[in-house]
Amino acid sequence: MTENALNTQQLDTRNKTVLVTGASGKTGRRVAEAAEAAGFTVRAASRSGAVRFDWYDPSTWEDALRGADAAYLAYMPDVGAPGAGEAVGALARQAVALGVQRIVLLSARGEDQAEPAERAVRESGARWTIVRASWFAQNLSEGPLLDGMRAGELVFPAGEVLEPFIDTRDIADVVVAVLGAADDRYAGQVVEISGGRLLSFRDAVAEISAAAGREIRYVPVSAREYGGALTEYGVPAEEAEFLIELFETNLDGRNARLSDGVQRILGRAPRDFADFAREHAELGVWKA
Ligand SMILES: NC(=O)c1ccc[n+]([C@@H]2O[C@H](COP(=O)([O-])OP(=O)(O)OC[C@H]3O[C@@H](n4cnc5c(N)ncnc54)[C@H](OP(=O)(O)O)[C@@H]3O)[C@@H](O)[C@H]2O)c1
């Protein structure tokens, strides 16, 4: 993937430390890798990470932030979850007070529920950039949906809606380009990023199925049915209700469009879903 790697020549990362939240997750892990490759000193933070950081325990925030020059914020479990605005705002204000120069908030395209978190970071006094991403390709290769994929059936409430799945490595490259920019060109900007091709979930699963050489089916269900299954699996009712609303709104077709942020910031096209499927199939991710 060297030809696609982030061009680090125009970055100013020497002697700079970046706090990466969610550093073992789908985006944070790649942000940490890309930031290190770009010359940043990386502070990899999560509840169980090298640097302890818990969004729900503000006493863990100061040690994580102190001495950092930049921060990547991925709010858990979702940027639009109840309480995200308060927590992101409080953390961003503390970051400013501790001298953190730049903040990137990971947000989601078309997600109205993310507005409080976005507003909070904009009003925090930080030099902020909001990166709004489309649906991740890696939602199909890690995390809660992987079990279904391995079992040969993705049950999901996305109907036949089109989505430009983004590879989280592209998110990482954009985040590092923003946090490491030699000037403030991205400060105060909302950057929308997506993959380069619209696919239905049925198309995406079919591409993975072909790459993996085994049958994996897509089974669309309603958001309500999906939420019911989540509660049966032990997801708290309040969380399931939030997810139902999120899927009903975000998967209603509003995101069936491409965004040019990857090309604009990185000067190259987004990674293609077919490459994601092939590379992860070669790694055996979807073996039964
Ligand atoms: N999925 C999508 O398609 C999509 C699209 C756009 C935006 N987003 C946004 O992306 C974010 C999720 O990022 P992701 O998918 O990279 O994460 P992820 O893969 O779900 O990983 C979760 C990471 O966060 C840590 N974590 C979990 N709970 C935490 C807590 N209470 N405090 C601190 N760290 C915690 C985990 O490590 P520990 O267990 O060690 O704490 C892990 O490193 C959300 O804000 C979501 O709204 C998602």
Side-chain angles (χ1 to χ4, degrees):
M1 300 300 296
T2 5
E3 79 276 13
N4 274 344
L6 175 64
N7 179 353
T8 54
Q9 280 163 4
Q10 288 157 4
L11 300 183
D12 175 18
T13 54
R14 253 192 324 142
N15 302 320
K16 296 244 163 87
T17 295
V18 61
L19 168 68
V20 177
T21 64
S24 55
K26 293 184 285 298
T27 60
R29 184 156 61 81
R30 277 98 181 174
V31 170
E33 281 166 11
E36 194 167 330
F40 272 113
T41 299
V42 172
R43 208 173 271 179
S46 74
R47 291 168 307 178
S48 58
V51 174
R52 202 174 107 66
F53 174 82
D54 188 342
W55 280 107
Y56 297 92
D57 181 0
S59 73
T60 63
W61 298 357
E62 184 172 339
D63 284 352
L65 287 167
R66 190 175 288 284
D69 300 283
Y72 168 69
L73 305 184
Y75 185 78
M76 301 300 159
D78 190 277
V79 64
E86 291 79 0
V88 167
L91 181 93
R93 287 190 297 276
Q94 191 169 9
V96 173
L98 289 167
V100 177
Q101 301 286 318
R102 281 186 191 161
I103 290 181
V104 164
L105 173 70
L106 176 64
S107 189
R109 275 190 349 161
E111 186 171 324
D112 296 339
Q113 297 86 342
E115 203 275 331
E118 292 194 357
R119 182 162 23 91
V121 85
R122 285 200 305 268
E123 292 174 355
S124 66
R127 259 179 277 171
W128 57 268
T129 306
I130 292 168
V131 174
R132 283 189 195 143
S134 60
W135 228 74
F136 305 164
Q138 277 80 357
N139 290 333
L140 300 175
S141 63
E142 54 193 276
L145 300 184
L146 180 57
D147 280 353
M149 295 291 290
R150 282 190 174 143
E153 195 171 84
L154 177 73
V155 178
F156 202 67
E160 304 303 328
V161 80
L162 297 178
E163 175 71 40
F165 293 81
I166 187 165
D167 191 309
T168 56
R169 292 172 293 184
D170 285 340
I171 299 178
D173 286 349
V174 166
V175 168
V176 171
V178 168
L179 289 176
D183 56 31
D184 272 338
R185 71 183 68 190
Y186 302 117
Q189 282 195 30
V190 176
V191 178
E192 295 209 335
I193 58 175
S194 78
R197 195 152 60 96
L198 288 168
L199 294 167
S200 67
F201 282 63
R202 190 180 299 284
D203 298 332
V205 171
E207 289 204 15
I208 288 174
S209 178
R214 57 181 291 255
E215 196 192 346
I216 309 175
R217 296 188 320 130
Y218 168 60
V219 182
V221 291
S222 74
R224 275 272 135 226
E225 284 172 293
Y226 191 73
L230 289 179
T231 28
E232 271 172 37
Y233 278 116
V235 174
E238 202 182 318
E239 202 176 311
E241 206 46 51
F242 167 72
L243 289 173
I244 291 168
E245 189 206 312
L246 191 63
F247 294 143
E248 275 177 345
T249 50
N250 253 35
L251 295 170
D252 65 358
R254 71 183 63 192
N255 285 316
R257 61 188 170 87
L258 304 180
S259 296
D260 67 354
V262 172
Q263 181 69 47
R264 205 153 43 78
I265 292 193
L266 301 175
R268 62 159 175 84
R271 290 170 168 90
D272 191 69
F273 190 85
D275 295 328
F276 157 80
R278 184 181 36 78
E279 288 164 16
H280 287 74
E282 281 167 10
L283 292 171
V285 167
W286 296 295
K287 281 210 172 109

